[in-house]
Amino acid sequence: MTIPQVAKAVDRSPSWVSKVVGPMTAPKPKFTKAQMEAIKEDYLGGMSYPGLAEKYDRSLFAITGLLKDMGIQGQGGKTVVASAKKEDVIARWKRGELISEIHKATGVAKSAISNWTYGIEGGAGVREKLDKAEAVRLYTEADMPVEYIAKKLRRGSTTISNWLKSEGVEILPSMSRRTSEQQRMYGKKGAEVRHNQAVEIRRTCGRDGCDETFVLRHRNEDRKYCSRACFNKARTDETKRAIFTCEACGRQFEHWASQANRRYCSMDCRLANIGKTAKRYRIGEEQIDSSWEALVIGLLQVLKISYKRDIRDEVVEWSVGHKYAPDFKLGDGLYIEVKGLERETDRAKWRAWREKRGELVVIDSTNFQEVMSAGATGRATLLATLHAMASEQGNTH
């Protein structure tokens, strides 16, 4: 193994390795003429000192000493790469690219770009000259208004006007202040509109039953109807209406056919159905109805507290024709209801359950954090906290 390879393996410098193992290694043979020429060619081609040392199995001292003896040290390696980058940076600068753009394209630091281009004409100055010449050309040859030239070149309208004035170009008033003759000559978008008008584009009205054709004012106009009257008739066309069934109440209602994902007949039905189609969560083989319930069950599983979720055989009738059962039951007989949103009928259900079945603890937004904190303390603390809550809620809920 060579000194550079050992240095890389032990994460030390080659000089440190040389001092440690130098006396125990046999001296390397002298460079042959072929090796010297190859090293010279690689070095002038941009290869670094460590690269040369690894390629030719020599120490950095041997490589640098050889290059020094040959009189070419400092003329290759990273210097060649930096020189090529410098030439590219200067060329870009002269073309009118900004320092930030050159930095993004080449990866050279902005400070280095600034130093390399100091005193050289280019950058924003050259770009301004190019933009100025382009603004004059667009205004005089393409008949483009000042406001559209400013948008195209990403300059201010005042800047474009000042450039044109400095070149002795007569500036027309803005579009709103031009005479009718000037507006007919220059149009709303300069020469582009005149070209659009020269190529007449006709379209048929999009309303069913109207075959009227009309001419577009320009190519980019997105108009479907021949008149405002046809537009209004198309909006109220009964053939574009469809019958939907409300997912909440089952009632059929009429709405626009284009809104095929319409699910409810009213906002009241939509709000009433919230939670019935909510996202489900899965813990092991169990499917959980809510994120809060999933957290409580996860806590019980971590603390190894037994529970039962299927308690449909224990339901109670809290109103005529209406039955209720909590979310799950603990092994010690305590029932738990996890409630994110309390409705008007919930307290009546809970009172009926406590009267017929026994203790019930409701975990909601007011005590959820307390339950989680008790669970973090331990199994006994959690069970004691839940039973205390059940006793307190039995007197208030």
Side-chain angles (χ1 to χ4, degrees):
M1 184 179 288
T2 64
I3 288 179
Q5 291 172 342
V6 174
K8 188 175 182 179
V10 300
D11 194 19
R12 292 281 189 167
S13 66
S15 60
W16 183 87
V17 176
S18 298
K19 291 178 182 178
V20 175
V21 303
M24 296 185 292
T25 56
K28 293 286 184 180
K30 293 183 178 181
F31 290 103
T32 63
K33 289 186 178 181
Q35 286 179 330
M36 293 171 64
E37 290 297 326
I39 291 173
K40 178 180 179 180
E41 183 179 351
D42 289 341
Y43 178 65
L44 295 178
M47 187 175 289
S48 63
Y49 295 145
L52 291 170
E54 184 175 358
K55 180 177 180 181
Y56 294 99
D57 193 15
R58 297 299 180 104
S59 66
L60 287 175
F61 297 110
I63 295 296
T64 54
L66 175 63
L67 297 175
K68 185 176 181 181
D69 293 341
M70 297 172 67
I72 60 173
Q73 188 177 14
Q75 300 178 17
K78 294 183 179 180
T79 306
V80 174
V81 178
S83 178
K85 280 192 174 182
K86 184 175 182 180
E87 292 177 1
D88 182 32
V89 166
I90 293 176
R92 289 174 178 273
W93 175 259
K94 289 182 178 180
R95 289 198 300 266
E97 293 188 23
L98 304 179
I99 290 179
S100 57
E101 296 171 343
I102 298 174
H103 165 69
K104 188 175 182 180
T106 63
V108 178
K110 294 181 181 181
S111 58
I113 298 172
S114 179
N115 292 334
W116 288 350
T117 57
Y118 180 75
I120 301 175
E121 184 179 1
V126 171
R127 173 170 291 191
E128 182 173 329
K129 289 182 180 180
L130 296 175
D131 286 354
K132 187 175 183 179
E134 179 67 7
V136 173
R137 187 193 68 80
L138 291 173
Y139 194 82
T140 57
E141 298 179 13
D143 296 333
M144 186 177 287
V146 170
E147 51 266 37
Y148 291 98
I149 297 174
K151 187 175 182 180
K152 181 179 179 64
L153 299 181
R154 296 182 179 181
R155 301 276 187 172
S157 299
T158 305
T159 301
I160 300 298
S161 299
N162 292 336
W163 284 353
L164 297 175
K165 290 177 182 178
S166 65
E167 296 296 322
V169 179
E170 181 184 0
I171 302 177
L172 292 171
S174 62
M175 293 299 299
S176 60
R177 297 180 181 177
R178 293 182 186 179
T179 63
S180 57
E181 182 63 27
Q182 289 172 339
Q183 291 187 11
R184 280 196 300 271
M185 180 177 178
Y186 291 97
K188 290 189 176 181
K189 290 188 179 179
E192 182 183 354
V193 173
R194 294 206 306 279
H195 173 69
N196 293 335
Q197 292 173 345
V199 181
E200 191 175 78
I201 301 176
R202 290 185 171 272
R203 182 176 290 177
T204 304
C205 182
R207 185 178 70 84
D208 294 337
C210 179
D211 298 328
E212 188 73 24
T213 59
F214 58 94
V215 179
L216 296 180
R217 289 175 293 227
H218 54 81
R219 284 181 299 180
N220 296 330
E221 185 179 9
D222 186 21
R223 187 154 64 99
K224 295 173 60 178
Y225 306 103
C226 62
S227 62
R228 173 62 67 175
C230 277
F231 171 77
N232 292 332
K233 289 180 180 179
R235 286 284 295 170
T236 56
D237 191 348
E238 295 298 329
T239 61
K240 294 187 178 182
R241 308 281 285 185
I243 302 299
F244 298 88
T245 302
C246 180
E247 294 184 8
C249 65
R251 184 177 67 86
Q252 291 188 335
F253 62 97
E254 182 181 322
H255 204 70
W256 295 110
S258 58
Q259 297 186 7
N261 58 346
R262 183 82 179 190
R263 300 171 58 188
Y264 305 108
C265 63
S266 65
M267 182 59 70
D268 292 337
C269 282
R270 179 179 179 275
L271 294 175
N273 211 40
I274 290 177
K276 296 181 181 180
T277 59
K279 181 179 178 181
R280 298 294 189 265
Y281 300 85
R282 183 172 293 276
I283 297 181
E285 298 298 325
E286 296 189 64
Q287 183 171 304
I288 314 302
D289 296 332
S290 70
S291 59
W292 282 18
E293 188 176 343
L295 288 171
V296 173
I297 291 178
L299 182 62
L300 296 176
Q301 291 183 358
V302 169
L303 298 177
K304 297 182 180 181
I305 299 175
S306 61
Y307 65 92
K308 179 183 177 182
R309 293 193 66 233
D310 188 8
I311 53 176
R312 286 175 292 182
D313 56 334
E314 301 184 40
V315 296
V316 298
E317 186 173 2
W318 65 275
S319 179
V320 179
H322 298 282
K323 298 179 180 181
Y324 164 74
D327 292 326
F328 47 90
K329 174 184 179 181
L330 297 186
D332 61 359
L334 179 64
Y335 295 90
I336 296 180
E337 173 75 18
V338 181
K339 201 68 178 176
L341 178 64
E342 182 180 332
R343 294 183 171 87
E344 295 179 358
T345 57
D346 288 335
R347 294 192 175 243
K349 299 177 184 177
W350 301 336
R351 281 195 298 270
W353 182 269
R354 290 187 178 102
E355 291 172 359
K356 299 177 181 180
R357 295 295 181 188
E359 281 191 328
L360 170 68
V361 58
V362 179
I363 301 176
D364 55 17
S365 59
T366 61
N367 58 14
F368 182 80
Q369 188 61 46
E370 183 181 353
V371 173
M372 293 292 107
S373 300
T377 305
R379 171 193 176 107
T381 305
L382 176 61
L383 291 174
T385 301
L386 291 175
H387 280 281
M389 288 181 178
S391 300
E392 182 181 353
Q393 291 176 1
N395 299 324
T396 57
H397 281 56

